[in-house]
Structures are given as structure tokens and as C-alpha cells.
Amino acid sequence: MPALAHAVAPVLTATSTPPVHVDTGDTAWVLVCTALVLLMTPGLAFFYAGMVRSKHVLAMIMQSFACIAIVSVTWVLVGYSLAFDDDAGGGLVGGLHLVGLAHASAGVPGINLTIPPLVFVLFQLLFAVLTAALLTGATADRMRFESFVVLVAVWSVVVYAPVAHWAFSPDGWLHRLGLLDFAGGTVVEMCSGASALALVLVLGPRRGWPREMMAPHNLPLTLLGAGLLWVGWIGFNAGSALTAGSLAASAALATHLSGVGGMIGWLALEKKLTGKATTLGAASGAVAGLVAITPAAGFLQPLPALAVGVVAGVVCLFAIRLKFRFRYDDSLDVVAVHYVGGVVGTLCVGLFAATVVNPAVTHQGLFLGGGLEQLGKQLVGVLATSAFAFAATYVLGRVLRATIGLRVTADDEHAGLDTSQHAETAYELTTTSTIGRSHG
């Protein structure tokens, strides 16, 4: 989880707000990492936009950019308070003392910070933005923009914020249980993945899927997005140390190595299964590895981090087959990569967590002689997050479908969301005859 109880700095009681002693080096580091996390959402937009057909590319980018605006507002108004205020009861959700960021500059309940509290607010805000944007990969090509705006606004408050409280707040019940989640395997990856599965079941498949070929229209755009995500992920995970020290360095190295491992694992299996190693496979494998290391970056040594990436690359590639077997149209494989990758990484913490990396590890991983205790706590986090995020999002989706509607019409889907939802096109093609005349 982002520093909180899993950083080296001591944590006070959950009902206290410790004074803030600002360190300029830590502040500068986290500000840079905050900018890198912001970069991830446009990176995700490009990553997804290249994978859809050309008539939907602007709609994909627009949805990610809309998340930046929507979630920024909901987080400031109420989301931050529900996630990080003193517990309102049972470790399930925070109170309302920090609504509108009132009193937020005084500190974060239960957490010793060496950065200004508002930097922490912004850093966590951008986690919430990215998590919401991940949903767009599952609902691609068929969701009304107005409905998407309402969905994200409500989802960021009633689904994301409570899960963030569970795992990231010292008051949260999963945190008190002893779940180790350094940067959001449960809160970001599994929460978005389970929610994505619920949404695709409510929405139904794209028209023509799986009979029609719906190949990516611009793989260079996808690779650009993957590159931006990889850069941003360093800030996402290493910044979660909230200090510019050895823990941040360890998390940065683990993050990079797991991305490398994911690419290797995915491409090796893809080559064996199809005879070809593809650029889309390279990008997808790297992302799978980066997803898996998210909960583990601050707890694993370098070689286990590389191994986690390899395992995630292999498992996530196999997981893509599930949507064809069970007939759910997860358009851009959010479930296979983010949910499954998040599960792999969260459970691997219970296998490889090392006290030498982070003194907050009280029970080392199974493979380091720590027994099954930590693995059991990680499993509880997986099951609880999956069940809540899926159920809450499914109910929300059904309510919105029954009231304002979710899907575009068949004609709008056929025309493309770029024109039907935004009255724009991504590409203006000039005919050969026109080009000839322009040079005549």
C-alpha cells in the first residue's frame, strides 16, 4: 500500500493525526512520482486506443481523459475522506471529517508523513483516476458517453473509496488483518478487474463478437502507450514508499524487472503456441508483469520480482482464453491482465515477502520459511476485494441500465463511437485523386 503502514516510517494509532515534519527531498521525489502517475492515464488511453478499430479510437481516449476530470472532483469532494478519514465503523469506510478536503492539510489520520499532506492527497487522487480509467478497456466500443460519466462518478465513491480504505488506511479491516499491498494489487488492479467483469456481463458483447475479426487498428499507438505506462509505473510503485530512500529504490528496481519478466514470459509462451512473437504480445506481457508487481514492489528482492513477472506473463496470456470459453466480451482484456495479474502479484507477496526489503513484513513469504500465515492473509484480501467490487459494480450497472441506459444503439455502434458520441473522426483520409489535383 502507498507507504502507510508498509513504509519504514512508524505509524501512529489509527485515531491520531501525527504532526507533519516535511522533508524537502521526500517532497520533491513524491511530486515527481505524482506527475509520472498522471502520465499513466494518457498512456493508458493510447494503449487502449491502438487496440480498438479506427472508428472508436477518439472515444477510448476521451473516456480516459474524462476520468481525470470526473474522479478529481469526486475525490476532492468525498472520495478522499471515505478512503483516509478515521474509520466510520468496522474498518469498512472512512468518515466525513475530510469532505471537501477540510482539515486535510493538517495530516493523514494514523500516518507519519515527511511530505505535505496535500501532496499525498494528489498522489492518491491519481491512483483513483487510473483505476477508473482501466474500466474503459472492458466496455470498449459500445457504451454511451453520458452513461460512462455517471458510472465513473458513482463508482469512484461507492466502490473504489471503500476498498482503498480497507487496504490503504491504517483503520481498514484488511490492513488491520495484516494484508500486504504496497501500491494497489487489491485496490487498483483487482478492484478494476472484478468491476470490469461485472460491467461486461451487464453490457453484453459487442455486436458481431466473437464471429467478426476486431483487430487492433494502430499497434504503434499501443506500443507508445505501453512505454508511457512503463515509465509511469516506476513513479506509481516507487513513489508509494513516500520517501526518497532505499525502499523507493528497491520498489523501482522490482517494478522494472517484473515488467521485463512479464514480456519474456508472454512472448515465450506466445512463440510456443503460435510460432510468432508479436509486438502486441510484448506490450501486453510487460503490462501484465507491471500489474503483478504492484502489490509486491516494496516487499520483494530483485530475482523474485523477475520471477513474478514471468509467471504473470504466462498466466495472463492463458487467462485471455477464458473470455472465449465463457462468452464474456472483455474487449481489451482488463480481466485477464489486471484482475488475474493482480491476483498473481498479491498471492506472490505471501510467497516471497522479505523482511530484509521492508521491515514492515512481520511474516516472511512461504518460500523464505515464513509459513502459510501471510499467504492466508493475502488470499482473504483477494476474495474480499473480488466479491465486493464485482457485486457492487454489477448492482450499479444494472441500476444505470434500467434508468438511463448504458449501450449505444446498433446504428451508433456500427457507425463508431467517434462520430455517434463525439461528432469527430480520428483520421481524415485523402483520396489519390485529391492528392493529384492538389499538386496539379
Side-chain angles (χ1 to χ4, degrees):
M1 58 197 272
L4 308 192
H6 297 329
V8 176
V11 176
L12 304 185
T13 60
T15 55
S16 65
T17 301
V20 178
H21 302 288
V22 173
D23 181 278
T24 55
D26 292 343
T27 301
W29 166 244
V30 179
L31 281 171
V32 170
C33 290
T34 299
L36 291 175
V37 177
L38 175 58
L39 180 68
M40 293 178 73
T41 298
L44 182 72
F46 294 145
F47 182 70
Y48 282 160
M51 287 195 280
V52 297
R53 290 164 288 173
S54 59
K55 61 185 178 180
H56 302 302
V57 58
L58 289 179
M60 288 304 303
I61 296 174
M62 180 65 169
Q63 288 179 2
S64 287
F65 274 75
C67 287
I68 297 175
I70 299 164
V71 180
S72 294
V73 173
T74 61
W75 187 254
V76 167
L77 289 179
V78 68
Y80 176 74
S81 188
L82 295 177
F84 289 104
D85 196 5
D86 288 324
D87 189 56
L92 298 176
V93 71
L96 299 177
H97 183 66
L98 301 176
V99 163
L101 299 187
H103 318 293
S105 60
V108 182
I111 304 169
N112 266 325
L113 289 176
T114 56
I115 61 174
L118 292 183
V119 175
F120 178 80
V121 171
L122 179 57
F123 187 65
Q124 288 297 320
L125 182 159
L126 296 172
F127 273 54
V129 166
L130 180 67
T131 309
L134 289 170
L135 301 177
T136 66
T139 62
D141 301 359
R142 59 201 188 276
M143 192 168 187
R144 296 174 61 239
F145 181 69
E146 294 85 351
S147 302
F148 175 79
V149 169
V150 176
L151 171 76
V152 167
V154 178
W155 183 89
S156 65
V157 173
V158 304
V159 180
Y160 179 85
V163 176
H165 184 75
W166 295 0
F168 284 172
S169 169
D171 270 341
W173 74 273
L174 283 178
H175 177 265
R176 294 202 305 258
L177 177 71
L179 173 74
L180 295 177
D181 186 352
F182 190 73
T186 54
V187 180
V188 176
E189 309 300 350
M190 276 186 282
C191 183
S192 63
S195 297
L197 179 59
L199 284 175
V200 300
L201 294 179
V202 174
L203 268 176
R206 291 166 290 178
R207 289 176 173 85
W209 185 89
R211 299 184 312 276
E212 297 179 13
M213 188 69 175
M214 300 180 181
H217 89 284
N218 190 334
L219 285 175
L221 191 61
T222 293
L223 291 167
L224 171 63
L228 293 174
L229 284 170
W230 200 327
V231 171
W233 232 299
I234 300 295
F236 193 90
N237 288 351
S240 292
L242 299 183
T243 58
S246 59
L247 183 59
S250 179
L253 179 58
T255 300
H256 177 68
L257 290 176
S258 191
V260 169
M263 182 188 296
I264 292 171
W266 189 295
L267 290 179
L269 179 59
E270 185 180 48
K271 176 70 173 176
K272 180 176 178 60
L273 294 176
T274 69
K276 303 292 182 182
T278 66
T279 55
L280 180 58
S284 300
V287 170
L290 293 165
V291 166
I293 202 61
T294 297
F299 308 119
L300 269 58
Q301 294 175 298
L303 288 182
L306 180 64
V308 167
V310 173
V311 171
V314 170
V315 173
C316 291
L317 177 53
F318 273 125
I320 288 177
R321 298 183 174 190
L322 295 176
K323 69 179 182 181
F324 298 103
R325 180 175 181 180
F326 295 104
R327 297 290 180 173
Y328 61 88
D329 184 14
D330 176 20
S331 308
L332 306 181
D333 302 312
V334 179
V335 177
V337 174
H338 291 274
Y339 178 74
V340 174
V343 170
V344 168
T346 300
L347 294 180
C348 280
V349 173
L351 302 177
F352 296 112
T355 303
V356 68
V357 175
N358 192 333
V361 175
T362 56
H363 301 283
Q364 295 209 118
L366 176 64
F367 293 166
L368 277 68
L372 293 170
E373 184 169 354
Q374 190 60 53
L375 184 60
K377 294 175 180 178
Q378 300 302 112
L379 181 59
V380 172
V382 167
L383 296 176
T385 301
S386 302
F388 173 74
F390 178 87
T393 307
Y394 187 83
V395 170
L396 174 60
R398 291 296 296 263
V399 169
L400 293 179
R401 189 178 75 174
T403 52
I404 64 175
L406 290 177
R407 286 193 70 132
V408 297
T409 65
D411 289 342
D412 285 348
E413 186 174 341
H414 178 73
L417 300 190
D418 290 0
T419 56
S420 67
Q421 300 299 296
H422 305 293
E424 298 173 302
T425 57
Y427 308 104
E428 291 291 344
L429 300 179
T430 306
T431 64
T432 303
S433 59
T434 302
I435 294 174
R437 286 196 300 271
S438 67
H439 289 81

